Amino acid sequence: KSRAELEQVPKIFMRPEFALEDPATFNAVLPWSHFNSAGGCKSSRDMASSRLLQEKLSHYLDVVEVSIARQISLRSEAFFHAMSSQHELQDRLRSTQGAVAVLRGRTAAMERVMCRGPLSLLRTALERGNCARLYDKLKLMAAVHQTQPTVQLLLATSEFVGALELIATTKEVLQQELQGIHSFRHLGSQLCELEKLIDKMMVEDFSMYTRSDLNRSLREEPHVLEKERLESLVFGLLRQRKLDFLDIYNEEMIQAAKGIVTQCVVDSVVNIQDIDTDVVTKLADQMRLMTFLQWFDLLQSVFSSFLLFLQRVKATLSVIRNVVLEALDSNQKSRLLAEQTTAPAACPTSPPPHQSHPGEAELAYLTHEGLFISDALSDAQRAHGGPQEKSSGQGPRPQHGGAVEPEGSPRPQQGEAVGPDRGSSDSASGTTESSSDRDQGFIAAGGAVSLSGEDMMPSELELGRVANNIQELLYAASDLSHDRCVKVLMARAKDGSLERLSPGEFVGLSQAVEAFARSTEDLCCRRSVSLRGALQSQANRFVHRFHEERKTKLSLLLDNERWKQAEVPVEFQHLVDSIADGRIALPERKPPGNAEERKPGDFLLVDGQKYAVVGTVLLLIRIFLEYCQCINDIPSITTDLLSRLADLLKHFNSRSCQLVLGAGALQVVGLKTITTKNLALASRCLQLVVHYIPLIRTHFETKLQPKQYSVLRHFDHITKDYNDHIAEISAKLVAIMDSLFEKVLSKYEVKAPMPSACFRHVCKQVSKMHEAISELLPEQQTQTLFWRINGSFKMHLKRQLARLGVVNDGGPQHGLVMVDVAFYTENLLSLRTLENMDLSMVEIWEHKR
């Protein structure tokens, strides 16, 4: 029922944002527009509406008040319960307050009776400890005061490492133990300036050492100059992080390399009277005035000097690398030691609950008293750290002023720290060790200064980079040596003199360069390419001239070749025999024998076959053997020489084709005609070259890398061209007889006497052809050629018989023709190598339909 009554109240009154100040809300609750009459006069109707609205709002108010009263009546019991609980809580608070006041009184009494006395004892003990520490600080200050004189003494003896260690120790003591001391306020900056001065001194000393080491005579021993001095300098530079000292060595190395070439040229020119150094001042011009042998001796001297130079550089860099590796090893050991030291501290063992750490209550109190909390903690830890730490803290103290410890004095052990219980004398003595003791003192010296030496040294990554840079510097020395040798080579090659060398001289030059390159590779483990590249460039020019000379020579031989069979000298037969034995190279010249042994032959015997050749082909065989010999001596030019040899073989093929098949020899040499013997001889020469192409290809293949095998396709193309040329010559020989048959048989008439004059003429020309080529061509080729010629004869005879109307009918004309044919076959079979030819003449007759 109450819910129904509440629902009569408009929702606008229930909204959380209900406010009559809002004009829209006000107008919605009190719509005054309904009460405004025209002219501003109030009518009786407006009065009634106003009363009605007032009654409605009053009704809403009554409904809400009734609902509120009902809710209060429902929760009255809980309200009265809360009020009674509040009174009870106030009573308990009053009793608690009284108990706390009693407790505070008792606590104040306990403090007065039991705590003030013990705390005063603790305070007195702390004051005594502070006085002892003050005394130690004063002693430490006295030792620090002696730092600068000690550093000056060390620098006077070039003990840069000891001076740097002493400066680092003093700076660390200033920062950790004597920070804020007014009298030392400028000492830090003074030490920094002194350290910068030492840096400059070390760089200058290293530069002077490098210059004197690289510029001394290469024949001197040992390779490393003042090894201990070098080790001390490198370690000092590493400690100061002057990691660019290798750049200084590189610059000095470049200057020394230039000096080596200059000195070698001067030493060589002194012994040559033909060169006036007052007139020819430039080294390059002086080298170009030398003979090849003089220049080659100079180059050998340069090579040997640079090998000694690289050996010296490698020995020096090995010493530097060993120092870097020792420093790297020291860093790694220090890191492992630090890890082992911090590992137990990272997981401390907590004491049992019933055992509290002594001194914790005192520290809590001293926080408010302004005393040394860290010192108190130190004393507390020392008091409970065991007898070992007590004994180490109560060891004998050094006397004041002992900044430089005499030799043999005990050095601090690794891991000990400079603190109030140890004077500056120990720390200073730990850093002034001589360079001879540095090998044993990398870790000991660092331990004496709270491992400050390791902190100052470059990181392991930086030291690794330095070690890599040392290796790169050795590579650079190898490259530099090759570059300077390239300049010697190019100075000689500027006027083209290297291109005009004989093959033997160029081979000697190539072998010397290759030997030097291999020696530097073995020494430096670096394949430098500049010298080989320069030699390759000269080799390409040499190959070009080598090829052009032989191509020109071959062209002159071909242009003067009369294409007649030449006698074969004995040396060429020996040359061919050596090739058959597998030696693709020029044989050594044999001493002359008796006249019978050196009598030339008519044919060239190759693998049991006779080859009738012209003189040009004999020289061509020698030329391509020169190419093969050249790649034996200079393998780097194999691909270039292969393409040149292919060009030479193509040139021979094309030029011989122009001269023989193209009849160019008629104008060039003055031949009256190109005979069948000329054609057969040209064919046989081409066959001889084709025989040797696979051998040449195999020889070149052994000198090529597998990825270069594609260039061998040139030989396949050349072989095809030669075979096509041979086939064209055979076709030309057949064509000659074909035209003869066509001309003669076109006048053939079947009448007596028999054999006819036409067939006699044909047999005579066939015999001449056979006589011309049978001694030149092999038997199989001769038979094949005459088989084709016979086929041409039968074709023309068949055509003439068909024109004459003679058929195979057994008549008189048929008999006459058979007599001529029998005469033709008898003459053909009587020729040498043609006895077993199948000369069936059935094809000459037309088949009857």
Side-chain angles (χ1 to χ4, degrees):
K1 181 180 179 181
S2 61
R3 183 178 296 275
E5 291 176 350
L6 284 174
E7 289 178 354
Q8 294 177 8
V9 180
K11 300 297 184 182
I12 191 172
F13 293 104
M14 304 297 182
R15 293 177 182 172
E17 65 274 9
F18 175 78
L20 289 177
E21 293 84 358
D22 185 10
T25 305
F26 188 85
N27 289 331
V29 176
L30 302 173
W32 292 106
S33 60
H34 290 226
F35 308 116
N36 293 334
S37 302
C41 299
K42 294 185 178 179
S43 63
S44 59
R45 183 179 179 183
D46 291 337
M47 295 291 289
S49 298
S50 177
R51 259 193 315 272
L52 182 60
L53 178 61
Q54 185 176 3
E55 291 176 358
K56 186 185 296 185
L57 291 176
S58 299
H59 175 67
Y60 294 158
L61 179 59
D62 294 338
V63 169
V64 172
E65 288 178 349
V66 170
S67 179
I68 291 173
R70 185 180 297 109
Q71 291 298 325
I72 290 174
S73 64
L74 291 175
R75 290 170 175 78
S76 58
E77 184 178 351
F79 174 74
F80 290 119
H81 178 72
M83 292 298 294
S84 61
S85 297
Q86 180 68 20
H87 294 304
E88 184 180 353
L89 182 60
Q90 290 178 355
D91 295 338
R92 290 184 179 180
L93 286 175
R94 281 193 293 270
S95 62
T96 301
Q97 183 180 4
V100 168
V102 173
L103 181 60
R104 287 174 65 87
R106 294 179 180 177
T107 303
M110 289 177 65
E111 178 187 1
R112 194 168 49 250
V113 174
M114 301 179 65
C115 296
R116 287 183 181 177
L119 283 176
S120 64
L121 291 177
L122 179 59
R123 188 176 297 109
T124 303
L126 289 174
E127 289 176 358
R128 183 180 180 279
N130 289 339
C131 291
R133 290 184 182 86
L134 177 60
Y135 174 71
D136 291 336
K137 296 290 184 184
L138 291 174
K139 289 203 303 181
L140 190 59
M141 290 172 63
V144 168
H145 185 64
Q146 296 296 321
T147 296
Q148 287 178 304
T150 306
V151 169
Q152 297 295 337
L153 179 62
L154 291 171
L155 293 181
T157 58
S158 298
E159 290 288 344
F160 300 113
V161 177
L164 290 171
E165 290 288 351
L166 181 55
I167 290 174
T169 303
T170 305
K171 289 171 67 174
E172 184 179 3
V173 169
L174 286 175
Q175 292 175 0
Q176 296 182 359
E177 304 292 338
L178 303 178
Q179 189 173 12
I181 303 298
H182 186 71
S183 60
F184 288 152
R185 64 187 183 279
H186 300 304
L187 182 58
S189 59
Q190 292 171 356
L191 291 176
C192 290
E193 292 298 325
L194 193 57
E195 195 170 15
K196 292 179 182 178
L197 175 63
I198 295 175
D199 290 349
K200 291 182 179 179
M201 292 177 64
M202 284 194 301
V203 171
E204 292 176 359
D205 200 12
F206 181 78
S207 180
M208 292 174 57
Y209 171 84
T210 303
R211 193 176 302 113
S212 61
D213 178 49
L214 293 176
N215 291 326
R216 62 192 171 100
S217 175
L218 293 171
R219 270 69 181 180
E220 288 185 10
E221 294 291 341
H223 289 308
V224 181
L225 180 68
E226 300 181 38
K227 181 178 178 181
E228 292 78 9
R229 177 187 172 192
L230 175 61
E231 290 175 340
S232 177
L233 283 171
V234 172
F235 182 70
L237 290 169
L238 288 176
R239 193 186 181 286
Q240 293 304 102
R241 295 179 178 270
K242 296 291 182 182
L243 305 183
D244 57 347
F245 67 94
L246 293 178
D247 296 337
I248 299 174
Y249 193 90
N250 187 35
E251 293 173 2
E252 296 295 339
M253 190 171 62
I254 293 173
Q255 297 301 321
K258 293 179 180 179
I260 288 174
V261 175
T262 303
Q263 188 61 42
C264 288
V265 175
V266 171
D267 293 343
S268 298
V269 171
V270 167
N271 300 322
I272 302 175
Q273 298 178 355
D274 298 337
I275 300 177
D276 188 355
T277 55
D278 296 332
V279 178
V280 183
T281 56
K282 293 185 178 179
L283 297 179
D285 296 336
Q286 294 174 2
M287 283 188 280
R288 282 192 286 273
L289 291 176
M290 297 178 182
T291 65
F292 174 75
L293 292 179
Q294 291 171 343
W295 177 82
F296 188 68
D297 291 339
L298 167 63
L299 185 64
Q300 294 277 36
S301 175
V302 171
F303 284 164
S304 61
S305 297
F306 271 116
L307 286 176
L308 293 173
F309 171 75
L310 289 176
Q311 290 173 4
R312 175 170 296 172
V313 169
K314 183 176 182 181
T316 303
L317 292 179
S318 296
V319 173
I320 297 175
R321 183 181 179 87
N322 289 337
V323 174
V324 173
L325 294 180
E326 286 178 7
L328 183 61
D329 184 60
S330 174
N331 275 14
Q332 292 173 346
K333 289 181 178 179
S334 300
R335 177 171 52 82
L336 293 175
L337 179 63
E339 291 176 356
Q340 293 172 0
T341 304
T342 55
C347 302
T349 306
S350 58
H354 63 277
Q355 294 180 357
S356 61
H357 193 286
E360 289 181 350
E362 292 88 340
L363 292 179
Y365 179 81
L366 291 175
T367 304
H368 301 285
E369 295 294 323
L371 298 179
F372 296 102
I373 301 178
S374 58
D375 292 342
L377 181 59
S378 258
D379 286 346
Q381 290 175 343
R382 231 185 346 260
H384 298 276
Q388 182 177 0
E389 288 189 22
K390 289 182 180 180
S391 62
S392 65
Q394 296 173 357
R397 301 188 179 190
Q399 297 297 323
H400 170 67
V404 181
E405 210 175 20
E407 284 191 27
S409 60
R411 297 184 181 273
Q413 297 300 317
Q414 178 178 356
E416 294 182 358
V418 175
D421 292 331
R422 179 173 294 278
S424 173
S425 175
D426 288 350
S427 62
S429 65
T431 59
T432 57
E433 58 183 275
S434 64
S435 59
S436 59
D437 295 333
R438 186 185 52 77
D439 290 340
Q440 296 85 3
F442 269 114
I443 300 176
V449 293
S450 300
L451 302 179
S452 64
E454 284 75 2
D455 294 339
M456 292 295 294
M457 291 295 289
S459 64
E460 293 181 15
L461 180 60
E462 291 173 325
L463 289 173
R465 289 174 182 170
V466 173
N468 291 335
N469 290 340
I470 293 171
Q471 187 63 44
E472 291 297 329
L473 191 57
L474 183 59
Y475 294 159
S478 175
D479 294 341
L480 175 63
S481 301
H482 281 249
D483 292 341
R484 301 315 300 181
C485 293
V486 167
K487 291 191 178 295
V488 176
L489 191 68
M490 299 311 293
R492 179 71 180 183
K494 188 175 182 180
D495 59 354
S497 58
L498 293 183
E499 302 173 25
R500 297 189 292 272
L501 296 179
S502 68
E505 291 173 337
F506 196 86
V507 166
L509 174 61
S510 302
Q511 291 174 347
V513 170
E514 187 63 27
F516 174 71
R518 283 198 300 268
S519 298
T520 57
E521 286 176 18
D522 296 339
L523 191 61
C524 304
C525 301
R526 167 79 165 187
R527 183 177 176 83
S528 300
V529 297
S530 58
L531 184 57
R532 281 193 175 101
L535 181 65
Q536 183 65 45
S537 175
Q538 293 304 314
N540 293 337
R541 296 180 183 180
F542 169 79
V543 166
H544 178 73
R545 184 196 56 79
F546 178 87
H547 173 67
E548 289 302 323
E549 284 182 356
R550 281 147 184 79
K551 187 175 180 180
T552 302
K553 182 178 179 180
L554 182 63
S555 298
L556 291 174
L557 290 172
L558 286 171
D559 290 344
N560 290 280
E561 181 60 64
R562 302 190 65 83
W563 297 99
K564 291 183 179 180
Q565 184 176 357
E567 291 183 339
V568 181
V570 176
E571 56 265 24
F572 281 97
Q573 186 61 55
H574 290 164
L575 191 68
V576 170
D577 293 341
S578 69
I579 297 175
D581 294 338
R583 295 190 298 272
I584 311 296
L586 291 174
E588 297 180 358
R589 291 185 176 273
K590 296 183 178 180
N594 56 51
E596 287 296 326
E597 291 180 357
R598 299 192 61 80
K599 185 178 180 181
D602 295 330
F603 296 94
L604 188 67
L605 296 177
V606 180
D607 292 340
Q609 290 192 29
K610 291 182 178 181
Y611 284 88
V613 294
V614 297
T616 303
V617 172
L618 293 175
L619 293 173
L620 177 62
I621 293 174
R622 185 174 184 86
I623 286 173
F624 68 64
L625 283 180
E626 289 176 352
Y627 279 76
C628 294
Q629 181 69 47
C630 199
I631 67 166
N632 289 342
D633 298 328
I634 317 174
S636 62
I637 61 174
T638 300
T639 53
D640 192 12
L641 213 58
L642 186 150
S643 61
R644 306 283 181 164
L645 178 58
D647 177 66
L648 187 77
L649 294 174
K650 289 178 182 177
H651 176 70
F652 174 78
N653 186 41
S654 61
R655 187 60 181 156
S656 61
C657 181
Q658 293 169 5
L659 293 173
V660 180
L661 277 180
L666 301 181
Q667 292 80 23
V668 176
V669 187
L671 295 181
K672 294 181 180 180
T673 182
I674 302 298
T675 64
T676 54
K677 193 167 187 177
N678 298 141
L679 290 170
L681 196 58
S683 175
R684 196 57 173 159
C685 291
L686 293 172
Q687 292 172 26
L688 178 61
V689 177
V690 170
H691 172 79
Y692 281 117
I693 287 178
L695 299 178
I696 299 171
R697 176 195 173 111
T698 303
H699 182 71
F700 272 83
E701 186 174 358
T702 59
K703 306 297 181 183
L704 292 173
Q705 300 293 331
K707 62 182 180 182
Q708 297 175 323
Y709 285 167
S710 59
V711 298
L712 295 172
R713 67 180 184 277
H714 292 303
F715 290 115
D716 299 331
H717 299 158
I718 292 170
T719 303
K720 181 179 181 302
D721 293 342
Y722 271 70
N723 287 329
D724 291 344
H725 190 184
I726 294 169
E728 289 177 7
I729 292 176
S730 299
K732 182 65 176 178
L733 291 171
V734 175
I736 290 172
M737 298 305 296
D738 185 79
S739 61
L740 173 70
F741 293 151
E742 183 179 8
K743 179 180 179 181
V744 174
L745 292 178
S746 63
K747 300 176 182 179
Y748 175 61
E749 296 180 358
V750 184
K751 60 181 181 180
M754 293 296 166
S756 64
C758 178
F759 266 71
R760 286 198 198 93
H761 183 64
V762 166
C763 290
K764 181 179 179 181
Q765 295 300 323
V766 170
S767 297
K768 285 184 177 180
M769 164 73 81
H770 182 269
E771 182 182 355
I773 68 174
S774 62
E775 293 295 329
L776 304 178
L777 299 179
E779 181 178 340
Q780 182 63 38
Q781 187 177 356
T782 302
Q783 291 178 357
T784 303
L785 183 64
F786 274 90
W787 183 82
R788 293 175 62 187
I789 290 173
N790 181 55
S792 174
F793 171 78
K794 290 191 291 185
M795 180 189 69
H796 287 290
L797 179 59
K798 179 179 179 180
R799 190 177 300 166
Q800 183 64 19
L801 291 178
R803 189 180 300 117
L804 296 175
V806 179
V807 296
N808 186 13
D809 57 358
Q813 287 188 323
H814 173 259
L816 294 175
V817 171
M818 292 304 297
V819 172
D820 279 339
V821 168
F823 175 74
Y824 165 77
T825 55
E826 183 180 350
N827 274 274
L828 200 60
L829 291 173
S830 66
L831 300 177
R832 188 173 58 85
T833 70
L834 303 182
E835 298 88 350
N836 299 322
M837 276 190 63
D838 182 11
L839 299 178
S840 174
M841 304 299 287
V842 179
E843 294 88 348
I844 65 175
W845 304 108
E846 288 284 350
H847 295 287
K848 295 181 179 180
R849 297 181 180 177

